[in-house]
Amino acid sequence: MAHQHFKMYKPFGLISQMGSNNKKEKRSKRFISELYPFEDDVMAIGRLDLKSEGLLLMTTDGKLSDTVNRSGIEKEYYAQLDGVITPEAIEKLQKGVEIGIEGKKYLTKPCQAKLISEEPDFPKPHHLLRVGSHRPNSWLSVTLTEGRFRQVRKMTAVVGFPTLRLVRVRIGTVTLQGMNPSDVVDFPNLPAELNLKE
């Protein structure tokens, strides 16, 4: 039987998993399973944290999920930052910065980081996000080939510009273009660079 694949625009406030065995979590949290009648064997390829939005790929192929997560495929994020980021801070991000991962110091790999001159055309931010127009802010494109927990947020905070809003816009050649928050699209033909088999 052929595997199923989907792409989703994960909205703010949903956890990137189908559900939880924890009764308290079931009552108090919201999961991506509420967006679409997924089969029981569908899983997310990677994750976006609760407050992050954007592109999330789903599959019934566990091997594919593992391979994509470990293959170094580019993942691009647009980060709205508190303050107007400086060229010096961008250069530090590009070269790699030291962040904390599970209580240990970790040096991020070199990455692509560039200022976005015009504000991206995203839907309005969730009301719980503290994105005020009274304070200067800036948008940054960050492209990683790794994906540590809350990595982009930790990286921008280390160089002095905390992330206010984070949207993943691309995984490989798959993009968020044309999608709105909570959209789920059947995606039967994965691009070749994602369909890596070991």
Side-chain angles (χ1 to χ4, degrees):
M1 190 173 171
H3 282 289
Q4 292 180 292
H5 312 292
F6 305 88
K7 68 175 184 174
M8 168 192 297
Y9 187 148
K10 188 195 90 68
F12 174 96
L14 264 66
I15 295 177
S16 297
Q17 61 192 55
M18 291 303 186
S20 172
N21 293 324
N22 182 307
K23 288 181 180 178
K24 187 179 177 184
E25 271 198 346
K26 274 185 177 178
R27 287 195 306 270
S28 61
K29 306 289 185 186
R30 295 176 61 206
F31 301 91
I32 54 175
S33 54
E34 72 178 59
L35 300 181
Y36 190 87
F38 292 110
E39 300 288 337
D40 290 343
D41 55 351
V42 174
M43 68 195 80
I45 298 178
R47 292 191 174 193
L48 287 169
D49 68 52
L50 186 72
K51 294 181 179 179
S52 297
E53 312 160 53
L55 185 62
L56 192 63
L57 299 179
M58 317 289 293
T59 186
T60 55
D61 187 347
K63 243 182 196 176
L64 170 68
S65 176
D66 189 57
T67 304
V68 169
N69 283 329
R70 297 173 187 274
S71 63
I73 284 171
E74 288 187 347
K75 299 172 183 73
E76 184 178 7
Y77 302 81
Y78 282 6
Q80 187 176 16
L81 307 178
D82 187 1
V84 179
I85 192 166
T86 63
E88 293 78 16
I90 293 175
E91 189 177 349
K92 286 179 184 176
L93 294 173
Q94 292 168 340
K95 290 179 177 177
V97 293
E98 197 173 80
I99 60 174
I101 301 289
E102 295 176 349
K104 297 179 181 177
K105 291 179 179 178
Y106 176 76
L107 182 64
T108 62
K109 293 179 181 177
C111 71
Q112 298 174 45
K114 59 185 180 183
L115 189 67
I116 301 171
S117 55
E118 292 185 14
E119 186 170 335
D121 185 24
F122 292 134
K124 285 186 177 180
H126 192 278
H127 68 275
L128 291 177
L129 280 175
R130 293 175 300 178
V131 181
S133 57
H134 59 286
R135 296 183 63 172
N137 57 66
S138 51
W139 281 92
L140 188 73
S141 162
V142 181
T143 301
L144 306 177
T145 54
E146 55 181 340
R148 304 286 176 157
F149 179 63
R150 297 176 65 86
Q151 181 170 340
V152 174
R153 294 180 184 280
K154 290 178 179 181
M155 289 171 66
T156 67
V158 162
V159 297
F161 297 89
T163 293
L164 302 171
R165 186 181 185 187
L166 187 65
V167 185
R168 183 158 64 195
V169 296
R170 179 172 66 85
I171 300 172
T173 57
V174 183
T175 72
L176 198 62
Q177 194 169 359
M179 298 184 74
N180 292 307
S182 301
D183 282 356
V184 179
V185 179
D186 192 8
F187 199 59
N189 300 312
L190 283 178
E193 91 271 9
L194 293 184
N195 203 11
L196 302 167
K197 297 290 183 182
E198 292 184 324

